[in-house]
Amino acid sequence: MLHNRVKELRARFGFSQGELGERVGVTRQTIGFIEKGDFSPSITLALKLAREFEVKVDELFWLEGDKSQ
Amino acid sequence: MLHNRVKELRARFGFSQGELGERVGVTRQTIGFIEKGDFSPSITLALKLAREFEVKVDELFWLEGDKSQ
DNA sequence: ACATAATGTATACTATACTTAACATAAAGT
DNA sequence: ACTTTATGTTAAGTATAGTATACATTATGT
């Protein structure tokens, strides 16, 4: 099971779903689906999101029960 | 453009493509394709690979021209 | 020389990420 | 009251991740 902090960080940066989507090259629905946990994005998109929020991918996405690192 | 160090780290750990695939739950062909750069895996698979090699996702996959962090 | 294990590659198939379009709701501004 | 902006959600479509099967090549061991 995959978890993420996209919604939290997006709020912190004051982006709308549409704005964030535009910045990383996807639609607002895609951002919405990711926040909802509906699917596991590609590593390419995950890297772009992490870059946008200036965090490491591992801080943005993690697997259930994976406290490693 | 996405780059990765899967082949290098797999060699360092002495895994065959088949073994590594088994450990992270995909086929050997999928590992082969990733090493070749044929496609961008899901963040879920990327997290499992990083966990296997005990590195952060960002150290295993990165975007072309992205020296950040 | 033969067998086995690992890899490269190709094709067809299935699963899922992601898009497009649409409609509904709520909040904020005029 | 009306408009605008942001979000939730759904359904149908397209693109691509990932599987299954198969065959060829290379390296290693006997």
Side-chain angles (χ1 to χ4, degrees), chain A residues 26-30 39-42:
Chain A
V26 296
T27 63
R28 76 169 182 90
Q29 283 87 341
T30 296
F39 56 59
S40 169
S42 68

PDB file of all heavy atoms in Angstrom, chain A residues 26-30 39-42, chain C residues 16-24:
ATOM      1  N   VAL A  26       0.907  17.260 -15.798  1.00  0.00           N
ATOM      2  CA  VAL A  26      -0.266  16.370 -15.825  1.00  0.00           C
ATOM      3  C   VAL A  26      -1.525  17.197 -15.554  1.00  0.00           C
ATOM      4  O   VAL A  26      -1.433  18.384 -15.235  1.00  0.00           O
ATOM      5  CB  VAL A  26      -0.164  15.223 -14.789  1.00  0.00           C
ATOM      6  CG1 VAL A  26       1.003  14.302 -15.097  1.00  0.00           C
ATOM      7  CG2 VAL A  26      -0.062  15.770 -13.373  1.00  0.00           C
ATOM      8  N   THR A  27      -2.674  16.552 -15.662  1.00  0.00           N
ATOM      9  CA  THR A  27      -3.931  17.269 -15.446  1.00  0.00           C
ATOM     10  C   THR A  27      -4.260  17.361 -13.956  1.00  0.00           C
ATOM     11  O   THR A  27      -3.669  16.655 -13.137  1.00  0.00           O
ATOM     12  CB  THR A  27      -5.094  16.554 -16.145  1.00  0.00           C
ATOM     13  OG1 THR A  27      -5.258  15.264 -15.557  1.00  0.00           O
ATOM     14  CG2 THR A  27      -4.810  16.411 -17.621  1.00  0.00           C
ATOM     15  N   ARG A  28      -5.239  18.199 -13.636  1.00  0.00           N
ATOM     16  CA  ARG A  28      -5.621  18.338 -12.223  1.00  0.00           C
ATOM     17  C   ARG A  28      -6.240  17.051 -11.689  1.00  0.00           C
ATOM     18  O   ARG A  28      -6.087  16.713 -10.518  1.00  0.00           O
ATOM     19  CB  ARG A  28      -6.571  19.517 -12.027  1.00  0.00           C
ATOM     20  CG  ARG A  28      -7.981  19.264 -12.478  1.00  0.00           C
ATOM     21  CD  ARG A  28      -8.938  20.363 -12.029  1.00  0.00           C
ATOM     22  NE  ARG A  28     -10.299  20.053 -12.453  1.00  0.00           N
ATOM     23  CZ  ARG A  28     -11.160  19.366 -11.717  1.00  0.00           C
ATOM     24  NH1 ARG A  28     -10.796  18.934 -10.532  1.00  0.00           N
ATOM     25  NH2 ARG A  28     -12.365  19.101 -12.168  1.00  0.00           N
ATOM     26  N   GLN A  29      -6.910  16.304 -12.581  1.00  0.00           N
ATOM     27  CA  GLN A  29      -7.507  15.041 -12.146  1.00  0.00           C
ATOM     28  C   GLN A  29      -6.429  14.064 -11.692  1.00  0.00           C
ATOM     29  O   GLN A  29      -6.610  13.359 -10.705  1.00  0.00           O
ATOM     30  CB  GLN A  29      -8.315  14.401 -13.282  1.00  0.00           C
ATOM     31  CG  GLN A  29      -9.668  15.029 -13.526  1.00  0.00           C
ATOM     32  CD  GLN A  29      -9.589  16.207 -14.481  1.00  0.00           C
ATOM     33  OE1 GLN A  29      -8.522  16.784 -14.689  1.00  0.00           O
ATOM     34  NE2 GLN A  29     -10.696  16.573 -15.083  1.00  0.00           N
ATOM     35  N   THR A  30      -5.337  14.037 -12.428  1.00  0.00           N
ATOM     36  CA  THR A  30      -4.230  13.149 -12.062  1.00  0.00           C
ATOM     37  C   THR A  30      -3.724  13.482 -10.662  1.00  0.00           C
ATOM     38  O   THR A  30      -3.515  12.585  -9.832  1.00  0.00           O
ATOM     39  CB  THR A  30      -3.099  13.259 -13.099  1.00  0.00           C
ATOM     40  OG1 THR A  30      -3.598  12.793 -14.351  1.00  0.00           O
ATOM     41  CG2 THR A  30      -1.905  12.430 -12.705  1.00  0.00           C
ATOM     42  N   PHE A  39      -3.974   5.720  -7.435  1.00  0.00           N
ATOM     43  CA  PHE A  39      -2.967   4.944  -8.143  1.00  0.00           C
ATOM     44  C   PHE A  39      -1.537   5.362  -7.832  1.00  0.00           C
ATOM     45  O   PHE A  39      -1.317   6.387  -7.168  1.00  0.00           O
ATOM     46  CB  PHE A  39      -3.221   4.898  -9.648  1.00  0.00           C
ATOM     47  CG  PHE A  39      -3.325   6.209 -10.342  1.00  0.00           C
ATOM     48  CD1 PHE A  39      -2.287   7.111 -10.322  1.00  0.00           C
ATOM     49  CD2 PHE A  39      -4.461   6.521 -11.068  1.00  0.00           C
ATOM     50  CE1 PHE A  39      -2.378   8.308 -10.996  1.00  0.00           C
ATOM     51  CE2 PHE A  39      -4.555   7.729 -11.736  1.00  0.00           C
ATOM     52  CZ  PHE A  39      -3.521   8.629 -11.692  1.00  0.00           C
ATOM     53  N   SER A  40      -0.647   4.535  -8.291  1.00  0.00           N
ATOM     54  CA  SER A  40       0.770   4.687  -8.049  1.00  0.00           C
ATOM     55  C   SER A  40       1.423   5.344  -9.268  1.00  0.00           C
ATOM     56  O   SER A  40       1.629   4.690 -10.278  1.00  0.00           O
ATOM     57  CB  SER A  40       1.351   3.294  -7.826  1.00  0.00           C
ATOM     58  OG  SER A  40       2.740   3.322  -7.825  1.00  0.00           O
ATOM     59  N   PRO A  41       1.759   6.632  -9.188  1.00  0.00           N
ATOM     60  CA  PRO A  41       2.293   7.343 -10.352  1.00  0.00           C
ATOM     61  C   PRO A  41       3.624   6.774 -10.829  1.00  0.00           C
ATOM     62  O   PRO A  41       4.247   5.983 -10.127  1.00  0.00           O
ATOM     63  CB  PRO A  41       2.465   8.766  -9.844  1.00  0.00           C
ATOM     64  CG  PRO A  41       2.604   8.649  -8.375  1.00  0.00           C
ATOM     65  CD  PRO A  41       1.763   7.475  -7.983  1.00  0.00           C
ATOM     66  N   SER A  42       4.029   7.189 -11.988  1.00  0.00           N
ATOM     67  CA  SER A  42       5.329   6.757 -12.508  1.00  0.00           C
ATOM     68  C   SER A  42       6.427   7.437 -11.704  1.00  0.00           C
ATOM     69  O   SER A  42       6.220   8.494 -11.108  1.00  0.00           O
ATOM     70  CB  SER A  42       5.455   7.149 -13.980  1.00  0.00           C
ATOM     71  OG  SER A  42       5.525   8.560 -14.093  1.00  0.00           O
TER      72      SER A  42
ATOM     73  P    DT C  16      -4.120  -3.770 -12.177  1.00  0.00           P
ATOM     74  OP1  DT C  16      -3.531  -4.210 -10.896  1.00  0.00           O
ATOM     75  OP2  DT C  16      -5.576  -3.759 -12.393  1.00  0.00           O
ATOM     76  O5'  DT C  16      -3.570  -2.307 -12.480  1.00  0.00           O
ATOM     77  C5'  DT C  16      -2.202  -2.118 -12.757  1.00  0.00           C
ATOM     78  C4'  DT C  16      -1.975  -0.753 -13.393  1.00  0.00           C
ATOM     79  O4'  DT C  16      -2.360  -0.770 -14.790  1.00  0.00           O
ATOM     80  C3'  DT C  16      -2.800   0.383 -12.771  1.00  0.00           C
ATOM     81  O3'  DT C  16      -1.991   1.525 -12.806  1.00  0.00           O
ATOM     82  C2'  DT C  16      -3.917   0.563 -13.771  1.00  0.00           C
ATOM     83  C1'  DT C  16      -3.083   0.419 -15.026  1.00  0.00           C
ATOM     84  N1   DT C  16      -3.819   0.272 -16.280  1.00  0.00           N
ATOM     85  C2   DT C  16      -3.351   0.955 -17.378  1.00  0.00           C
ATOM     86  O2   DT C  16      -2.365   1.663 -17.358  1.00  0.00           O
ATOM     87  N3   DT C  16      -4.086   0.780 -18.523  1.00  0.00           N
ATOM     88  C4   DT C  16      -5.219   0.002 -18.659  1.00  0.00           C
ATOM     89  O4   DT C  16      -5.780  -0.077 -19.738  1.00  0.00           O
ATOM     90  C5   DT C  16      -5.654  -0.688 -17.471  1.00  0.00           C
ATOM     91  C7   DT C  16      -6.851  -1.570 -17.515  1.00  0.00           C
ATOM     92  C6   DT C  16      -4.940  -0.519 -16.353  1.00  0.00           C
ATOM     93  P    DA C  17      -1.798   2.511 -11.501  1.00  0.00           P
ATOM     94  OP1  DA C  17      -0.818   1.834 -10.621  1.00  0.00           O
ATOM     95  OP2  DA C  17      -3.104   2.901 -10.943  1.00  0.00           O
ATOM     96  O5'  DA C  17      -1.117   3.792 -12.152  1.00  0.00           O
ATOM     97  C5'  DA C  17       0.124   3.618 -12.809  1.00  0.00           C
ATOM     98  C4'  DA C  17       0.230   4.566 -14.003  1.00  0.00           C
ATOM     99  O4'  DA C  17      -0.718   4.198 -15.018  1.00  0.00           O
ATOM    100  C3'  DA C  17      -0.012   6.044 -13.716  1.00  0.00           C
ATOM    101  O3'  DA C  17       0.949   6.762 -14.464  1.00  0.00           O
ATOM    102  C2'  DA C  17      -1.430   6.269 -14.220  1.00  0.00           C
ATOM    103  C1'  DA C  17      -1.485   5.341 -15.412  1.00  0.00           C
ATOM    104  N9   DA C  17      -2.797   4.801 -15.786  1.00  0.00           N
ATOM    105  C8   DA C  17      -3.661   4.087 -15.002  1.00  0.00           C
ATOM    106  N7   DA C  17      -4.745   3.695 -15.638  1.00  0.00           N
ATOM    107  C5   DA C  17      -4.582   4.182 -16.920  1.00  0.00           C
ATOM    108  C6   DA C  17      -5.383   4.100 -18.077  1.00  0.00           C
ATOM    109  N6   DA C  17      -6.561   3.460 -18.123  1.00  0.00           N
ATOM    110  N1   DA C  17      -4.934   4.693 -19.194  1.00  0.00           N
ATOM    111  C2   DA C  17      -3.747   5.334 -19.149  1.00  0.00           C
ATOM    112  N3   DA C  17      -2.907   5.473 -18.129  1.00  0.00           N
ATOM    113  C4   DA C  17      -3.390   4.863 -17.024  1.00  0.00           C
ATOM    114  P    DC C  18       1.185   8.381 -14.122  1.00  0.00           P
ATOM    115  OP1  DC C  18       2.518   8.742 -14.638  1.00  0.00           O
ATOM    116  OP2  DC C  18       0.843   8.640 -12.715  1.00  0.00           O
ATOM    117  O5'  DC C  18       0.091   9.074 -15.048  1.00  0.00           O
ATOM    118  C5'  DC C  18       0.349   9.176 -16.460  1.00  0.00           C
ATOM    119  C4'  DC C  18      -0.883   9.652 -17.170  1.00  0.00           C
ATOM    120  O4'  DC C  18      -1.931   8.670 -17.093  1.00  0.00           O
ATOM    121  C3'  DC C  18      -1.511  10.949 -16.656  1.00  0.00           C
ATOM    122  O3'  DC C  18      -1.277  11.985 -17.611  1.00  0.00           O
ATOM    123  C2'  DC C  18      -2.981  10.586 -16.456  1.00  0.00           C
ATOM    124  C1'  DC C  18      -3.131   9.347 -17.337  1.00  0.00           C
ATOM    125  N1   DC C  18      -4.295   8.479 -16.995  1.00  0.00           N
ATOM    126  C2   DC C  18      -5.182   8.132 -18.012  1.00  0.00           C
ATOM    127  O2   DC C  18      -4.979   8.556 -19.156  1.00  0.00           O
ATOM    128  N3   DC C  18      -6.263   7.357 -17.726  1.00  0.00           N
ATOM    129  C4   DC C  18      -6.476   6.923 -16.474  1.00  0.00           C
ATOM    130  N4   DC C  18      -7.547   6.169 -16.257  1.00  0.00           N
ATOM    131  C5   DC C  18      -5.575   7.262 -15.416  1.00  0.00           C
ATOM    132  C6   DC C  18      -4.507   8.030 -15.709  1.00  0.00           C
ATOM    133  P    DT C  19      -2.161  13.352 -17.637  1.00  0.00           P
ATOM    134  OP1  DT C  19      -1.348  14.388 -18.283  1.00  0.00           O
ATOM    135  OP2  DT C  19      -2.789  13.611 -16.327  1.00  0.00           O
ATOM    136  O5'  DT C  19      -3.302  12.928 -18.670  1.00  0.00           O
ATOM    137  C5'  DT C  19      -2.931  12.510 -19.986  1.00  0.00           C
ATOM    138  C4'  DT C  19      -4.111  12.615 -20.940  1.00  0.00           C
ATOM    139  O4'  DT C  19      -5.113  11.653 -20.562  1.00  0.00           O
ATOM    140  C3'  DT C  19      -4.805  13.977 -20.969  1.00  0.00           C
ATOM    141  O3'  DT C  19      -5.066  14.291 -22.338  1.00  0.00           O
ATOM    142  C2'  DT C  19      -6.089  13.758 -20.175  1.00  0.00           C
ATOM    143  C1'  DT C  19      -6.378  12.286 -20.434  1.00  0.00           C
ATOM    144  N1   DT C  19      -7.062  11.572 -19.321  1.00  0.00           N
ATOM    145  C2   DT C  19      -8.217  10.868 -19.587  1.00  0.00           C
ATOM    146  O2   DT C  19      -8.740  10.818 -20.684  1.00  0.00           O
ATOM    147  N3   DT C  19      -8.752  10.209 -18.501  1.00  0.00           N
ATOM    148  C4   DT C  19      -8.261  10.192 -17.207  1.00  0.00           C
ATOM    149  O4   DT C  19      -8.820   9.558 -16.325  1.00  0.00           O
ATOM    150  C5   DT C  19      -7.052  10.955 -17.002  1.00  0.00           C
ATOM    151  C7   DT C  19      -6.422  11.001 -15.639  1.00  0.00           C
ATOM    152  C6   DT C  19      -6.511  11.600 -18.055  1.00  0.00           C
ATOM    153  P    DT C  20      -5.476  15.814 -22.736  1.00  0.00           P
ATOM    154  OP1  DT C  20      -4.876  16.099 -24.057  1.00  0.00           O
ATOM    155  OP2  DT C  20      -5.246  16.706 -21.590  1.00  0.00           O
ATOM    156  O5'  DT C  20      -7.057  15.681 -22.936  1.00  0.00           O
ATOM    157  C5'  DT C  20      -7.592  14.633 -23.730  1.00  0.00           C
ATOM    158  C4'  DT C  20      -9.092  14.584 -23.579  1.00  0.00           C
ATOM    159  O4'  DT C  20      -9.446  13.791 -22.426  1.00  0.00           O
ATOM    160  C3'  DT C  20      -9.776  15.943 -23.417  1.00  0.00           C
ATOM    161  O3'  DT C  20     -10.711  16.079 -24.468  1.00  0.00           O
ATOM    162  C2'  DT C  20     -10.436  15.868 -22.038  1.00  0.00           C
ATOM    163  C1'  DT C  20     -10.584  14.375 -21.825  1.00  0.00           C
ATOM    164  N1   DT C  20     -10.590  13.880 -20.421  1.00  0.00           N
ATOM    165  C2   DT C  20     -11.467  12.876 -20.066  1.00  0.00           C
ATOM    166  O2   DT C  20     -12.247  12.373 -20.838  1.00  0.00           O
ATOM    167  N3   DT C  20     -11.379  12.485 -18.749  1.00  0.00           N
ATOM    168  C4   DT C  20     -10.526  12.991 -17.785  1.00  0.00           C
ATOM    169  O4   DT C  20     -10.533  12.559 -16.650  1.00  0.00           O
ATOM    170  C5   DT C  20      -9.637  14.032 -18.234  1.00  0.00           C
ATOM    171  C7   DT C  20      -8.676  14.646 -17.268  1.00  0.00           C
ATOM    172  C6   DT C  20      -9.708  14.434 -19.515  1.00  0.00           C
ATOM    173  P    DA C  21     -11.551  17.478 -24.704  1.00  0.00           P
ATOM    174  OP1  DA C  21     -11.836  17.561 -26.144  1.00  0.00           O
ATOM    175  OP2  DA C  21     -10.916  18.613 -23.994  1.00  0.00           O
ATOM    176  O5'  DA C  21     -12.913  17.105 -23.941  1.00  0.00           O
ATOM    177  C5'  DA C  21     -13.516  15.832 -24.168  1.00  0.00           C
ATOM    178  C4'  DA C  21     -14.717  15.682 -23.264  1.00  0.00           C
ATOM    179  O4'  DA C  21     -14.308  15.150 -21.980  1.00  0.00           O
ATOM    180  C3'  DA C  21     -15.453  17.003 -22.969  1.00  0.00           C
ATOM    181  O3'  DA C  21     -16.826  16.802 -23.263  1.00  0.00           O
ATOM    182  C2'  DA C  21     -15.187  17.251 -21.494  1.00  0.00           C
ATOM    183  C1'  DA C  21     -15.029  15.825 -20.972  1.00  0.00           C
ATOM    184  N9   DA C  21     -14.277  15.713 -19.733  1.00  0.00           N
ATOM    185  C8   DA C  21     -13.173  16.413 -19.342  1.00  0.00           C
ATOM    186  N7   DA C  21     -12.715  16.080 -18.151  1.00  0.00           N
ATOM    187  C5   DA C  21     -13.582  15.089 -17.726  1.00  0.00           C
ATOM    188  C6   DA C  21     -13.650  14.314 -16.557  1.00  0.00           C
ATOM    189  N6   DA C  21     -12.791  14.445 -15.546  1.00  0.00           N
ATOM    190  N1   DA C  21     -14.652  13.412 -16.459  1.00  0.00           N
ATOM    191  C2   DA C  21     -15.514  13.289 -17.476  1.00  0.00           C
ATOM    192  N3   DA C  21     -15.554  13.951 -18.633  1.00  0.00           N
ATOM    193  C4   DA C  21     -14.546  14.837 -18.689  1.00  0.00           C
ATOM    194  P    DA C  22     -17.925  18.026 -23.170  1.00  0.00           P
ATOM    195  OP1  DA C  22     -18.761  17.931 -24.373  1.00  0.00           O
ATOM    196  OP2  DA C  22     -17.228  19.299 -22.842  1.00  0.00           O
ATOM    197  O5'  DA C  22     -18.792  17.604 -21.901  1.00  0.00           O
ATOM    198  C5'  DA C  22     -19.006  16.217 -21.614  1.00  0.00           C
ATOM    199  C4'  DA C  22     -19.430  16.074 -20.166  1.00  0.00           C
ATOM    200  O4'  DA C  22     -18.251  15.978 -19.321  1.00  0.00           O
ATOM    201  C3'  DA C  22     -20.230  17.264 -19.622  1.00  0.00           C
ATOM    202  O3'  DA C  22     -21.580  16.856 -19.434  1.00  0.00           O
ATOM    203  C2'  DA C  22     -19.545  17.623 -18.308  1.00  0.00           C
ATOM    204  C1'  DA C  22     -18.624  16.438 -18.047  1.00  0.00           C
ATOM    205  N9   DA C  22     -17.409  16.785 -17.319  1.00  0.00           N
ATOM    206  C8   DA C  22     -16.479  17.727 -17.652  1.00  0.00           C
ATOM    207  N7   DA C  22     -15.492  17.830 -16.799  1.00  0.00           N
ATOM    208  C5   DA C  22     -15.803  16.894 -15.828  1.00  0.00           C
ATOM    209  C6   DA C  22     -15.161  16.507 -14.637  1.00  0.00           C
ATOM    210  N6   DA C  22     -14.023  17.045 -14.213  1.00  0.00           N
ATOM    211  N1   DA C  22     -15.738  15.540 -13.900  1.00  0.00           N
ATOM    212  C2   DA C  22     -16.885  14.991 -14.324  1.00  0.00           C
ATOM    213  N3   DA C  22     -17.589  15.270 -15.429  1.00  0.00           N
ATOM    214  C4   DA C  22     -16.983  16.241 -16.139  1.00  0.00           C
ATOM    215  P    DC C  23     -22.714  17.990 -19.003  1.00  0.00           P
ATOM    216  OP1  DC C  23     -23.975  17.553 -19.627  1.00  0.00           O
ATOM    217  OP2  DC C  23     -22.168  19.336 -19.232  1.00  0.00           O
ATOM    218  O5'  DC C  23     -22.822  17.747 -17.421  1.00  0.00           O
ATOM    219  C5'  DC C  23     -23.104  16.445 -16.922  1.00  0.00           C
ATOM    220  C4'  DC C  23     -22.957  16.443 -15.409  1.00  0.00           C
ATOM    221  O4'  DC C  23     -21.551  16.544 -15.058  1.00  0.00           O
ATOM    222  C3'  DC C  23     -23.652  17.629 -14.727  1.00  0.00           C
ATOM    223  O3'  DC C  23     -24.378  17.165 -13.598  1.00  0.00           O
ATOM    224  C2'  DC C  23     -22.492  18.521 -14.302  1.00  0.00           C
ATOM    225  C1'  DC C  23     -21.440  17.468 -13.998  1.00  0.00           C
ATOM    226  N1   DC C  23     -20.048  17.993 -13.945  1.00  0.00           N
ATOM    227  C2   DC C  23     -19.210  17.577 -12.890  1.00  0.00           C
ATOM    228  O2   DC C  23     -19.646  16.790 -12.056  1.00  0.00           O
ATOM    229  N3   DC C  23     -17.948  18.077 -12.820  1.00  0.00           N
ATOM    230  C4   DC C  23     -17.516  18.932 -13.748  1.00  0.00           C
ATOM    231  N4   DC C  23     -16.268  19.388 -13.635  1.00  0.00           N
ATOM    232  C5   DC C  23     -18.357  19.358 -14.823  1.00  0.00           C
ATOM    233  C6   DC C  23     -19.594  18.870 -14.884  1.00  0.00           C
ATOM    234  P    DA C  24     -25.458  18.135 -12.833  1.00  0.00           P
ATOM    235  OP1  DA C  24     -26.777  17.465 -12.880  1.00  0.00           O
ATOM    236  OP2  DA C  24     -25.288  19.525 -13.335  1.00  0.00           O
ATOM    237  O5'  DA C  24     -24.914  18.083 -11.343  1.00  0.00           O
ATOM    238  C5'  DA C  24     -24.474  16.839 -10.781  1.00  0.00           C
ATOM    239  C4'  DA C  24     -23.695  17.140  -9.510  1.00  0.00           C
ATOM    240  O4'  DA C  24     -22.338  17.515  -9.876  1.00  0.00           O
ATOM    241  C3'  DA C  24     -24.281  18.309  -8.712  1.00  0.00           C
ATOM    242  O3'  DA C  24     -24.536  17.896  -7.372  1.00  0.00           O
ATOM    243  C2'  DA C  24     -23.214  19.393  -8.763  1.00  0.00           C
ATOM    244  C1'  DA C  24     -21.945  18.603  -9.078  1.00  0.00           C
ATOM    245  N9   DA C  24     -20.954  19.369  -9.840  1.00  0.00           N
ATOM    246  C8   DA C  24     -21.130  19.978 -11.040  1.00  0.00           C
ATOM    247  N7   DA C  24     -20.064  20.607 -11.487  1.00  0.00           N
ATOM    248  C5   DA C  24     -19.126  20.390 -10.493  1.00  0.00           C
ATOM    249  C6   DA C  24     -17.779  20.797 -10.356  1.00  0.00           C
ATOM    250  N6   DA C  24     -17.135  21.528 -11.266  1.00  0.00           N
ATOM    251  N1   DA C  24     -17.124  20.412  -9.246  1.00  0.00           N
ATOM    252  C2   DA C  24     -17.771  19.670  -8.336  1.00  0.00           C
ATOM    253  N3   DA C  24     -19.031  19.224  -8.353  1.00  0.00           N
ATOM    254  C4   DA C  24     -19.653  19.626  -9.475  1.00  0.00           C
TER     255       DA C  24
END
